[in-house]
Amino acid sequence: MAIAESFTIDTRAEQRLARIARLCTALTMSGFGAFVPLLRLLAGASPRAELPLLWRGLGVPLVAILVFLLAWSAVAPRVETSLGILPGPAQVWNQAIGLYDSHLAERAKETAFYERQAKKNAELLAADPQAEVKIRPYTGRPTFFGQILTSLKTVFTGFVLATLVAVPLGILCGLSPVINAAFNPLVQVFKPVSPLAWLPIVTMVVSALYVSDDPMLPKSFLVSAITVTLCSLWPTLINTAYGVAAIDKDLINVARVLKLSWPTKVRKLVLPSALPLIFTGLRLSLGVGWMVLIAAEMLAQNPGLGKFVWDEFQNGSSDSLARIMVAVFTIGLIGFLLDRLMLSLQAVVTHSAQR
């Protein structure tokens, strides 16, 4: 009996360690390897080995953030702007809570609106089963969290379009010196162009071509997404071309000897070899796209974070500056999480771990 109990305890311990090991692997692959020493400590690892790693990975960044917050709190009251004194961390946090409360209040209004509409339609159908009922969309003001979702939809639309253009074109440029020579001047000319320069052109083209009484997508959304595409495709294109061109020539010769078709060669040899650099380009493109999006939304008036910042700036109330700073930190945090997302995807596809 004691042997059976000991075996059960050992099995449970092994299962627990296996779960922690899997979690450590997942954290490392997603770029959150700084938390791994903490998990190892909880699993019973040697503190002498793990504490220095934990201090360097988590302790130092937390101390740096604390110093930044203290310096911000000390300097903010001394800075006078046209909208009042520069808000400190406490004021910014209060505005963040206020934006969250406003979001909840607006969602409650939306729920009540649809409930009233459903009740009215039910009464109409009860009086006349043949009556035509309509479900009208809620047209309340957008909330901060709704604007975050709008920005995410816009940037991913632009990023996907950029990827669909940049990766195939990069493969062609990497495989063919002639095609690379043809496209290289165009890439070098258009790569540094600002989104503020693209936006008027994109706006006029979309307004001329996208004419509909009942458009499926708002013009402001299309203008912002296409601007993101035009500004973010270059890092992926350049890195893909470089990664494909750097493939071991022996692999290309093997493909010739085996008489592989062009699609098979790309699928079996080119893409697996170039994937690390392709993902490097994708990470850079997504970061560029997220930065470009805010400026594009400001001018195109797409109801995302860029428009939120612009509206608060135009509002000019005593709380506007704190709300703008909430948006700034939100933009930075989302950009960080998007980068971690791409790191995780890269680790899964290329079987590499990132820290």
Side-chain angles (χ1 to χ4, degrees), residues 225-306:
I226 294 173
T227 303
V228 168
T229 299
L230 290 173
C231 293
S232 66
L233 63 87
W234 312 114
T236 298
L237 195 158
I238 293 170
N239 278 272
T240 300
Y242 179 76
V244 172
I247 293 174
D248 191 345
K249 300 304 178 185
D250 290 339
L251 291 176
I252 303 300
N253 293 331
V254 168
R256 291 197 188 101
V257 170
L258 297 177
K259 297 181 179 179
L260 297 179
S261 64
W262 192 85
T264 303
K265 180 174 70 173
V266 170
R267 189 174 70 254
K268 297 291 187 179
L269 297 179
V270 173
L271 281 178
S273 300
L275 267 181
L277 277 173
I278 291 175
F279 268 99
T280 299
L282 290 174
R283 285 179 63 198
L284 292 172
S285 288
L286 187 56
V288 170
W290 184 244
M291 288 190 294
V292 164
L293 174 71
I294 305 306
E297 287 183 333
M298 281 186 181
L299 298 181
Q301 291 295 288
N302 187 48
L305 285 172

Side-chain angles (χ1 to χ4, degrees), residues 19-175:
R19 286 195 297 268
I20 291 175
R22 286 195 296 270
L23 184 56
C24 289
T25 301
L27 288 172
T28 303
M29 292 178 67
S30 60
F32 290 97
F35 291 93
V36 170
L38 179 61
L39 287 177
R40 288 176 180 164
L41 280 174
L42 295 177
S46 170
R48 177 173 296 187
E50 301 300 333
L51 284 177
L53 297 176
L54 184 63
W55 166 250
R56 187 170 65 247
L58 284 180
V60 173
L62 289 176
V63 169
I65 292 172
L66 180 61
V67 170
F68 167 75
L69 292 175
L70 291 175
W72 178 14
S73 299
V75 172
R78 298 179 174 86
V79 179
E80 184 77 28
T81 72
S82 60
L83 300 181
I85 295 175
L86 185 71
Q91 291 86 351
V92 172
W93 177 254
N94 288 336
Q95 289 303 316
I97 298 298
L99 289 171
Y100 178 69
D101 292 339
S102 297
H103 170 76
L104 293 181
E106 194 66 25
R107 293 287 74 82
K109 290 180 183 178
E110 182 181 7
T111 301
F113 172 81
Y114 284 116
E115 287 177 351
R116 289 194 303 270
Q117 198 169 185
K119 181 179 179 181
K120 182 179 178 181
N121 290 337
E123 292 173 353
L124 289 174
L125 290 173
D128 180 9
Q130 303 300 323
E132 291 187 8
V133 295
K134 294 181 180 179
I135 305 244
R136 293 178 175 82
Y138 182 70
T139 57
R141 64 184 182 87
T143 66
F144 183 66
F145 290 91
Q147 288 170 304
I148 291 175
L149 290 177
T150 299
S151 290
L152 289 173
K153 291 176 187 175
T154 308
V155 77
F156 274 115
T157 301
F159 175 70
V160 169
L161 290 175
T163 302
L164 293 176
V165 173
V167 172
L169 191 55
I171 292 173
L172 289 175
C173 291
L175 290 176

